[in-house]
Amino acid sequence: MAKNEIPLDDLLLEKIVRALDGLEYGSIHIVVHDSQVVQIERTEKYRLTAEKPEAKIPQAGTGK
């Protein structure tokens, strides 16, 4: 540990673990001010499978 480093307490570690829990895609952003964690942000992304609709191409020679 560096001389000014403060060990993380169990409550803070639990909050970080809860932010990570179940996160499949996304990020956790931990904001530190004056060597203290002041904010934990969780950004979650959902991956959806995109289905392309079938293109309706008019038939040539139908007269329409």
Side-chain angles (χ1 to χ4, degrees):
M1 270 193 223
K3 61 181 177 180
N4 292 337
E5 190 172 330
I6 299 170
L8 299 177
D9 65 7
D10 290 338
L11 180 61
L12 180 57
L13 289 174
E14 177 63 29
K15 289 183 180 201
I16 294 169
V17 168
R18 280 197 321 230
L20 287 168
D21 188 37
L23 185 64
E24 192 171 347
Y25 295 98
S27 61
I28 303 297
H29 185 110
I30 300 171
V31 180
V32 178
H33 182 72
D34 287 335
S35 300
Q36 297 291 318
V37 174
V38 295
Q39 187 170 327
I40 300 171
E41 299 174 14
R42 173 181 163 141
T43 303
E44 189 167 0
K45 298 179 186 258
Y46 296 97
R47 303 289 178 152
L48 307 174
T49 57
E51 294 183 23
K52 294 182 181 179
E54 294 183 28
K56 294 183 180 180
I57 302 172
Q59 296 290 328
T62 59
K64 292 185 181 181

